[in-house]
Amino acid sequence: MLTLFSLLTALPAALAFHLLEPELVLPAFSILLFVEAAFAAIAARLIHLPDNAEDITLWDLAGGFTLIGCAAAMFGEPDQAAQFLAEQGGPRPASRP
């Protein structure tokens, strides 16, 4: 389970570094980690495993993804997140009254 967590964290980070501009890496990475946390939480909810304190569960993965996503969001600038979202949406037509 720890290997899965490491791969799901490191692989998107490496792809973001290579595919995005440097100022867009942290906002994109934080959004991706929040999405991964949501998928892990949904999977943990659907798969009912007995609680065992010795093993890492899907709930632990969801918490780890959320924690790293919050850290990436805090280190990023708000204007970087706005730039990331504006770039993804493309130009918008002017609204008329």
Side-chain angles (χ1 to χ4, degrees), residues 13-51:
L15 287 174
F17 282 126
H18 291 300
L19 297 177
L20 295 174
E21 297 175 22
E23 61 270 0
L24 298 178
V25 170
L26 285 176
F29 190 55
S30 66
I31 290 170
L32 179 68
L33 284 170
F34 287 133
V35 169
E36 287 181 359
F39 282 132
I42 290 169
R45 182 79 171 147
L46 294 176
I47 300 171
H48 298 288
L49 297 176
D51 292 334

Side-chain angles (χ1 to χ4, degrees), residues 52-73:
N52 188 353
E54 296 176 7
D55 293 332
I56 296 175
T57 64
L58 287 171
W59 290 111
D60 297 328
L61 289 179
F65 287 140
T66 304
L67 181 68
I68 298 170
C70 288

